[in-house]
Amino acid sequence: MSINSFGHLFRVTTWGESHGPALGATVDGCPPGVPVDAAMIQHWLDKRKPGQNKYTTQRREADEVRILSGVFEGVTTGTPVQLMIENTDQRSKDYGDIKDKFRPGHADITYFQKYGVRDYRGGGRSSARETASRVAAGGLAREAIKAIAPQVQITGYMVQMGPHKIDRDAFDWNQIEQNPFWVPDARAATDWAEYLDGLRKSGSSVGAIIEVVARGVPAGLGAPVYGKLDTDLAAAMMSINAVKGVEIGEGMSAAMLTGELNADEIFAPPASEDIVEIFFKGARLESTGTYIIRPQNENDKERWFKVKDLFHFTETEGGMTLQVARKALNKRMIANGGLPIVKRAEPRYSSNHAGGILGGISTGQDIVVRFAVKPTSSILTTRKTITKTGEETEIITKGRHDPCVGIRAVPVGEAMMACVLLDHMLLHRGQVGENRGTIGPDA
Ligand SMILES: Cc1cc2nc3c(=O)[nH]c(=O)nc-3n(C[C@H](O)[C@H](O)[C@H](O)COP(=O)(O)O)c2cc1C
């Protein structure tokens, strides 16, 4: 069976089991010249790592990634990138009791029915340890996206734990990194802590809903009809362990809306927001973040200006090209930077029920995907099951488990979004290149 891979051009194959010596991802099709090292990928793995707080499993995996191939002198070479993570905290004896029993809610029974043999230690290949490999591949995808479309930002967060939803009016992007649940609502973070603590102590578990948003994705990614961006995103999210539902944009709730409410109306952008591109001779990037560019006279502070996140800039031969909204244009910039090139701003939408995708192709709005994970099946309550030989019996799943797998599924969802988006960027580049349709008077 060769069903351990996903992606068309950016193709990820994961390998390994939870209690084997190591697991990892082989990534084929990564563009060459992408600056990457193990620390960049490690950053994302640390987000998924177990044992970071009392709300996740107490397994103590270091989850240290090693790059075995495909990177030379700090950049990808275009050849397969082999990412490996050693398993260091297996306790196979935790699973001795379940050797001949099938754990309810786990893949033990179906793997056995299919293959006639199963690695009972932690579920073997069906263990969510496999998701570490996806996060590693996603880290690489993020670096490649940065090189192609630096304005793209991918962020995942929890919007529901059990019956408790976030308050959308209290949504705060800055909260996401401030609590153990990756939740964008400070009040929910406090309430959920108490709720999950109770469940954890009683040995129970609960499900969750995770939302992953990609901002800054250009219009035009995806393809009709079997290569739809939403088809690939849904498949990617659904392939994550414990995921039982996936929605794009309005998702299932779209069934309750009328056509008037659901179709996002389209508006021409105000001309004042057209993008102006200016070339600065001799200016260079030194690090990421906020910049102060001195176009001409070092001592003339008035001529300094900041390049914030919203501004897109690229290093060009002999200088730097900067993109700013026309209304933010400063006459001195033009004087020092030469003739500006005007690019038309993108159309506006009244709402985003479509989740940033129409006809399988991105609109340029935020791509919004949600997925639901079921409650952790390994709980400390006795459950009825059967043995391999067909006798009825009971089971308690000991070992160390996440009381809500939604928490650690957040970086996994982000990784899948990164892999799918990069894959579609490469597909788009291959077929269409730079020649996308531009809306405006000369169209
Ligand atoms: C990040 C993550 C961590 C998980 N940890 C556990 C766990 O500790 N215990 C458990 O019973 N299931 C856990 N799961 C879910 C199981 O891996 C999953 O339910 C099982 O493999 C059966 O597959 P299915 O639910 O997709 O049908 C986790 C899932 C994810 C995404």
Side-chain angles (χ1 to χ4, degrees), residues 370-389:
R370 269 181 305 284
F371 58 91
V373 291
K374 69 188 192 184
T376 321
S377 304
S378 301
I379 46 174
L380 291 181
T381 309
T382 307
R383 311 291 291 155
K384 292 193 186 342
T385 187
I386 57 169
T387 63
K388 237 160 71 171
T389 46

Side-chain angles (χ1 to χ4, degrees), residues 19-337:
H19 286 61
L23 41 70
T26 309
V27 184
D28 202 359
C30 185
V34 175
V36 71
D37 62 22
M40 291 172 180
I41 294 176
Q42 193 63 47
H43 172 78
W44 304 107
L45 276 164
D46 288 348
K47 244 182 119 168
R48 196 215 71 104
K49 203 160 79 173
Q52 300 200 80
N53 57 59
K54 63 181 175 180
Y55 306 108
T56 60
T57 174
Q58 293 307 300
R59 282 189 301 265
R60 294 258 167 225
E61 292 287 359
D63 275 2
E64 255 174 52
V65 68
R66 282 177 63 200
I67 302 177
L68 301 188
S69 68
V71 176
F72 179 62
E73 294 183 337
V75 294
T76 54
T77 56
T79 60
V81 180
Q82 180 73 310
L83 303 166
M84 185 183 81
I85 301 157
E86 280 179 56
N87 290 321
T88 53
D89 189 29
Q90 314 100 312
R91 286 199 206 160
S92 304
K93 68 174 169 35
D94 279 349
Y95 297 94
D97 295 355
I98 59 151
K99 191 164 161 292
D100 298 314
K101 296 179 185 175
F102 302 116
R103 294 168 301 167
H106 278 274
D108 304 346
I109 191 160
T110 48
Y111 269 50
F112 187 73
Q113 283 171 314
K114 182 174 179 70
Y115 299 110
V117 55
R118 78 177 164 107
D119 179 350
Y120 57 81
R121 303 161 309 162
R125 179 70 179 156
S126 76
S127 163
R129 225 178 126 52
E130 185 270 345
T131 59
S133 310
R134 301 163 185 243
V135 173
L140 177 62
R142 281 186 188 257
E143 296 308 322
I145 290 174
K146 221 186 268 175
I148 297 172
Q151 77 284 5
V152 172
Q153 287 182 37
I154 297 168
T155 316
Y157 43 87
M158 273 172 75
V159 292
Q160 188 169 337
M161 181 190 281
H164 306 293
K165 296 182 184 181
I166 60 159
D167 174 2
R168 290 271 174 184
D169 292 334
F171 194 107
D172 178 1
W173 291 100
N174 297 322
Q175 274 299 318
I176 298 172
E177 302 260 343
Q178 305 299 320
N179 61 75
F181 309 115
W182 314 112
V183 58
D185 166 3
R187 175 79 191 271
T190 316
D191 296 350
W192 292 5
E194 199 180 325
Y195 171 67
L196 195 59
D197 220 17
L199 281 170
R200 183 180 65 85
K201 284 182 184 146
S202 68
S204 189
S205 66
V206 74
I209 299 182
I210 293 99
E211 188 165 280
V212 184
V213 172
R215 291 171 285 171
V217 175
L221 299 190
V225 286
Y226 301 108
K228 288 181 172 176
L229 184 57
D230 36 358
T231 307
D232 284 353
L233 281 172
M237 300 303 172
M238 191 54 112
S239 75
I240 301 170
N241 307 55
V243 173
K244 282 296 178 191
V246 181
E247 294 186 333
I248 311 276
E250 204 59 49
M252 296 290 175
S253 308
M256 292 189 293
L257 299 179
T258 58
E260 291 82 356
L261 288 175
N262 186 61
D264 308 309
E265 287 185 281
I266 310 172
F267 300 92
S272 61
E273 294 199 1
D274 281 354
I275 305 294
V276 177
E277 210 166 75
I278 315 157
F279 176 65
F280 286 99
K281 206 171 158 195
R284 304 219 64 81
L285 287 181
E286 274 152 23
S287 63
T288 53
T290 302
Y291 288 86
I292 298 171
I293 300 174
R294 242 171 333 203
Q296 216 174 41
N297 185 346
E298 272 193 30
N299 301 320
D300 189 350
K301 285 194 178 155
E302 274 184 18
R303 294 189 183 180
W304 291 31
F305 61 93
K306 284 189 180 185
V307 180
K308 299 201 185 85
D309 297 347
L310 284 175
F311 295 76
H312 181 54
F313 47 88
T314 41
E315 268 192 84
T316 338
E317 210 180 315
M320 177 192 292
T321 299
L322 173 76
Q323 293 182 346
V324 293
R326 196 212 294 260
K327 68 174 181 204
L329 197 63
N330 166 334
K331 284 203 182 87
R332 285 217 173 88
M333 289 184 205
I334 309 174
N336 293 312

